[in-house]
Amino acid sequence: MSLVSVKDLIKDSNIGSVKMASTIQLEILREGAEVWNQWRKENRSVNIDLSEANLIETNLIEVNLMRANLTRANLTGSHIFGANLLEANLS
């Protein structure tokens, strides 16, 4: 699924805000750091909810996870070198 179609799918036409489900965010994240970070730049107001996500052995190198909700996410074996975890909830 391309990012354009994802944005179109979740765009709330009444108020012009973007609402995300964690499954859609996971799809974008799995496309890689470059795609994810660009999407984050274009959607700064979206709350990132990756709570309870299965991120086992996921490549998160240089991924922007600033202020992301990673509550109970399984990061076992994930590669997080250079990831931005500033203010992320890792509980």
Side-chain angles (χ1 to χ4, degrees), residues 10 18-22 24-25 36 39-40 43-51 65-70:
I10 59 175
V18 177
K19 297 180 181 179
M20 294 298 297
S22 61
I24 294 172
Q25 291 177 0
W36 173 263
W39 180 84
R40 289 289 313 261
N43 296 280
R44 295 180 192 272
S45 65
V46 174
N47 292 325
I48 303 305
D49 185 2
L50 299 171
S51 57
L65 294 171
M66 185 173 163
R67 290 189 294 277
N69 180 2
L70 292 160

Side-chain angles (χ1 to χ4, degrees), residues 54-86:
N54 180 358
L55 297 171
I56 295 173
E57 297 183 9
T58 301
N59 181 356
L60 300 173
I61 295 173
E62 298 185 8
V63 169
N64 178 3
L65 294 171
M66 185 173 163
R67 290 189 294 277
N69 180 2
L70 292 160
T71 304
R72 293 183 301 277
N74 189 342
L75 297 166
T76 304
S78 293
H79 307 280
I80 60 170
F81 181 78
N84 181 351
L85 295 167
L86 184 67

